[in-house]
């Protein structure tokens, strides 16, 4: 069996990057490219050093688990132990999953030759290239599916506050089940930047409708600023008076700047 060192290093780097990227996407963690690349480099160094370490399999297994802890800590920043533990378990699960896929694909890409009556397996290119191709295909397919699906879930809304109007493109989210305790109406999320740009800065201290909203996500708990607006009109049809909105920092790459509950249109 012929083994090329540069292929092994390339395999490990690309596969580690895919695992970290997938963990970040699944858990909705902030992707810090420099930290992830650094973690991948450490992973490659560890993979290169492993063959030269002469220890028992049990100790080697424990060292690999410890190395996983270090890599996860380097790749992401954490504020809570629970968040770190969840990320670490996800990293271990995806490592085993992708490792199994790699072994399976290796059987397809390897060619067999008979030399002096002995079967020899020869692999002339890294299996990571196939993994990358599948990964890119998956990402493109997922984005295409999400784009088609989201187009059916976009809706126009108008916010009226202090005599001014703000029109937004909103995403209808069935997962948004937040309810205002006073009005018993669903709470909508609006772009904080767009709101301030249109209505100006808000004096929360002197705003009688201001309330803090505690929003729990898989990455932790966030405190959001909420106020009551004069009214919100959905698709020029449904009018909600005294609608409570939460001001949120949306990603500029997203195609919407507001999120409303399905309960507002049903």
């Amino acid at each position: 069996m012929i083994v090329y060192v540069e292929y092994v290093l390339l395999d490990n780097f690309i596969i580690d990057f895919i695992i970290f990227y997938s963990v970040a996407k699944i858990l909705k963690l902030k992707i810090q490219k420099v930290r992830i690349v650094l973690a991948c480099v450490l992973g490659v160094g560890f993979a290169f050093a492993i063959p030269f370490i002469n220890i028992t399999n049990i100790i080697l297994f424990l060292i690999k688990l410890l190395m996983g802890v270090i890599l996860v800590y380097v790749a992401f920043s954490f504020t809570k132990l629970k968040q770190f533990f969840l990320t670490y378990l996800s990293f271990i699960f995806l490592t085993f999953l992708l490792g199994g896929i790699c072994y399976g694909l290796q059987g397809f890409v390897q060619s067999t030759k008979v030399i002096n009556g002995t079967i020899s397996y020869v692999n002339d290119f890294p299996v990571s290239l196939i993994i990358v191709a599948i990964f890119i295909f998956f990402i493109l397919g997922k984005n295409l599916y999400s784009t088609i699906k989201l187009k059916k879930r976009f809706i126009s809304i108008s916010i009226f506050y202090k005599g001014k109007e703000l029109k937004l493109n909103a995403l209808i989210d069935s997962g948004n089940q937040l309810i205002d305790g006073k009005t018993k109406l669903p709470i909508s999320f609006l772009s904080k930047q767009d709101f301030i740009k249109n209505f100006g800065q808000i004096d929360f201290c002197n705003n009688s409708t201001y309330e803090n909203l505690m929003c729990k996500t898989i990455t932790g708990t966030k405190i959001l600023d909420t106020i009551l607006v004069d009214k919100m009109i959905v698709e020029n049809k449904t009018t909600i008076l005294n609608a409570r909105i939460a001001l949120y920092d949306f990603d500029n790459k997203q195609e919407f700047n507001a999120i409303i509950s399905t309960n507002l249109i049903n």
Side-chain angles (χ1 to χ4, degrees):
M1 180 177 180
I2 301 176
V3 179
Y4 299 93
V5 174
E6 61 271 23
Y7 287 171
V8 173
L9 299 181
L10 180 61
D11 283 345
N12 278 275
F13 184 89
I14 294 178
I15 292 173
D16 284 346
F17 184 86
I18 291 175
I19 292 174
F20 286 125
Y21 183 85
S22 300
V23 169
K25 284 295 183 180
I26 291 174
L27 300 182
K28 297 181 179 180
L29 300 173
K30 182 179 180 181
I31 297 178
Q32 303 179 54
K33 296 180 180 179
V34 175
R35 298 190 63 154
I36 290 180
V37 169
L38 179 58
C40 291
V41 172
L42 289 177
V44 168
F46 178 69
F48 181 77
I50 279 295
F52 302 99
I53 302 176
N54 186 19
I55 54 178
T56 63
N57 291 333
I58 295 178
I59 296 178
L60 181 60
F61 177 74
L62 294 176
I63 292 177
K64 288 183 177 180
L65 291 179
L66 178 60
M67 192 63 193
V69 172
I70 297 174
L71 294 181
V72 169
Y73 183 80
V74 171
F76 306 104
S77 56
F78 304 97
T79 57
K80 294 183 178 180
L81 182 61
K82 180 180 178 181
Q83 183 183 5
F84 172 80
F85 184 69
L86 180 60
T87 304
Y88 176 70
L89 289 181
S90 300
F91 171 77
I92 295 297
F93 172 76
L94 290 180
T95 299
F96 279 102
L97 178 63
L98 197 54
I101 295 176
C102 288
Y103 278 115
L105 288 175
Q106 194 173 19
F108 286 100
V109 301
Q110 283 184 331
S111 58
T112 58
K113 293 183 179 180
V114 179
I115 303 176
N116 296 327
T118 302
I119 297 178
S120 175
Y121 291 91
V122 180
N123 186 12
D124 294 328
F125 60 96
V127 69
S128 59
L129 294 181
I130 297 181
I131 295 292
V132 170
I134 295 175
F135 184 69
I136 293 175
F137 178 79
F138 170 76
I139 293 297
L140 292 178
K142 181 180 179 182
N143 289 340
L144 178 61
Y145 171 78
S146 298
T147 300
I148 296 175
K149 187 176 181 181
L150 285 177
K151 283 184 177 180
K152 300 179 180 179
R153 299 174 60 192
F154 285 149
I155 197 169
S156 63
I157 64 173
S158 296
I159 301 297
F160 293 85
Y161 185 67
K162 292 185 177 181
K164 295 183 179 180
E165 179 184 2
L166 173 61
K167 294 184 178 181
L168 300 167
N169 192 32
L171 172 68
I172 305 172
D173 183 13
S174 59
N176 180 12
Q177 299 297 323
L178 295 175
I179 301 294
D180 182 15
K182 296 180 180 179
T183 64
K184 305 301 179 183
L185 293 174
I187 297 175
S188 302
F189 288 77
L190 268 65
S191 168
K192 187 175 183 179
Q193 295 88 339
D194 290 339
F195 189 90
I196 293 176
K197 182 178 179 180
N198 192 79
F199 299 117
Q201 290 287 347
I202 305 172
D203 185 3
F204 294 118
C205 296
N206 296 318
N207 191 311
S208 59
T209 68
Y210 171 77
E211 286 186 4
N212 281 333
L213 171 67
M214 183 176 294
C215 181
K216 292 184 178 180
T217 66
I218 194 170
T219 58
T221 301
K222 295 182 179 180
I223 305 298
L224 300 177
D225 297 319
T226 74
I227 62 170
L228 291 181
V229 296
D230 299 330
K231 64 179 177 179
M232 179 170 66
I233 300 179
V234 180
E235 282 288 285
N236 295 321
K237 297 178 181 179
T238 306
T239 301
I240 300 99
L241 298 177
N242 296 322
R244 181 166 293 280
I245 64 169
L247 302 180
Y248 186 78
D249 292 322
F250 282 92
D251 189 345
N252 294 329
K253 297 180 180 180
Q254 293 177 330
E255 299 180 28
F256 54 90
N257 41 19
I259 298 176
I260 66 173
S261 171
T262 52
N263 296 326
L264 288 177
I265 60 174
N266 291 337

